[in-house]
Amino acid sequence: DAGVTQSPTHLIKTRGQQVTLRCSPKSGHDTVSWYQQALGQGPQFIFQYYEEEERQRGNFPDRFSGHQFPNYSSELNVNALLLGDSALYLCASSRDFGGNTIYFGEGSWLTVV
Amino acid sequence: QKEVEQDPGPLSVPEGAIVSLNCTYSNSAFQYFMWYRQYSRKGPELLMYTYSSGNKEDGRFTAQVDKSSKYISLFIRDSQPSDSATYLCAMSEGTNAGKSTFGDGTTLTVKP
């Protein structure tokens, strides 16, 4: 049973560029959340997708956007990259919207130079 | 001020010691409390969760919640070198764990 998978694992981008990160949820899960984890800090909630719609959003600017596909996989897009966007981006999935157990992927390391 | 504050550590203990990890929070709406373990910046792994004040035990781990004081703890008994990791507390307003607020983590090293 595959867990949450994320790609790419590592990437380096230049300030001002755009990036797309991808996530496939755990089998049987239909809800996906995205988190940003800066070095030395805990994960910060970006947004959550269920039934292909953004259901919850954290305190992140509109440069951060997402999408969920009919197969429940999800993308996180970040436009106009800033140096401060350098972080580990984590995807988590749950069986239902409002589910009390989430499973995290290994994350995508983004470095902005 | 952050909604969730976690003792920063780092903590270094000898094998077999009892470890106490602590978080305080300011949001009274938090109802659901979780502890995660994170190895070497991998994805966090859920250890325990609880809804109510009181203690919940699972093997060597005990989670304690005091809602009146807005304080939660995780105790690890008979600590092992394999417990060396960063421990994150997290909480949410409802049961939607997908929208959680995390502490910044405490790094624990258990020395053989």
Side-chain angles (χ1 to χ4, degrees):
Chain A
D1 177 21
V4 179
T5 58
Q6 292 186 242
S7 63
T9 307
H10 295 83
L11 69 166
I12 300 173
K13 291 286 188 177
T14 304
R15 275 179 300 174
Q17 282 189 317
Q18 179 262 346
V19 68
T20 297
L21 307 178
R22 296 175 178 83
C23 171
S24 292
K26 184 177 168 63
S27 177
H29 287 191
D30 59 9
T31 304
V32 172
S33 298
W34 286 93
Y35 288 82
Q36 179 195 66
Q37 187 175 23
L39 204 60
Q41 296 184 20
Q44 274 196 287
F45 174 74
I46 303 174
F47 42 53
Q48 184 178 43
Y49 276 84
Y50 173 68
E51 291 186 336
E52 302 179 50
E53 289 189 15
E54 182 183 295
R55 301 291 181 165
Q56 301 275 357
R57 189 176 182 94
N59 189 24
F60 278 80
D62 292 344
R63 297 188 298 110
F64 289 77
S65 63
H67 190 78
Q68 187 179 33
F69 299 94
N71 67 352
Y72 310 122
S73 67
S74 177
E75 288 182 350
L76 164 65
N77 301 292
V78 187
N79 294 323
L81 285 167
L82 304 172
L83 295 179
D85 294 331
S86 296
L88 177 67
Y89 288 84
L90 293 162
C91 172
S93 72
S94 59
R95 186 175 296 280
D96 301 301
F97 179 69
N100 65 2
T101 304
I102 61 173
Y103 295 83
F104 281 90
E106 297 292 270
S108 293
W109 283 96
L110 171 65
T111 301
V112 182
V113 297
Chain B
Q1 187 181 0
K2 291 187 175 183
E3 281 189 298
V4 179
E5 299 279 359
Q6 184 166 359
D7 289 352
L11 276 180
S12 180
V13 301
E15 184 174 353
I18 297 174
V19 176
S20 172
L21 304 164
N22 308 297
C23 289
T24 58
Y25 63 95
S26 57
N27 185 349
S28 300
F30 286 144
Q31 304 174 31
Y32 184 58
F33 306 92
M34 298 150 276
W35 285 96
Y36 289 84
R37 178 173 60 197
Q38 187 173 32
Y39 290 114
S40 300
R41 301 283 287 176
K42 300 285 189 181
E45 170 195 13
L46 180 66
L47 282 176
M48 297 186 70
Y49 63 84
T50 182
Y51 293 95
S52 56
S53 285
N55 295 348
K56 181 178 181 180
E57 200 171 302
D58 183 2
R60 297 185 295 112
F61 297 89
T62 299
Q64 188 176 79
V65 173
D66 182 348
K67 286 187 176 180
S68 62
S69 300
K70 296 189 180 67
Y71 188 89
I72 70 170
S73 298
L74 179 71
F75 297 95
I76 306 174
R77 290 183 300 280
D78 187 26
S79 56
Q80 302 295 310
S82 58
D83 294 329
S84 298
T86 296
Y87 289 80
L88 298 158
C89 64
M91 37 201 90
S92 62
E93 293 187 10
T95 60
N96 184 5
K99 187 189 178 187
S100 291
T101 302
F102 283 78
D104 285 338
T106 302
T107 298
L108 170 68
T109 301
V110 181
K111 296 184 175 180

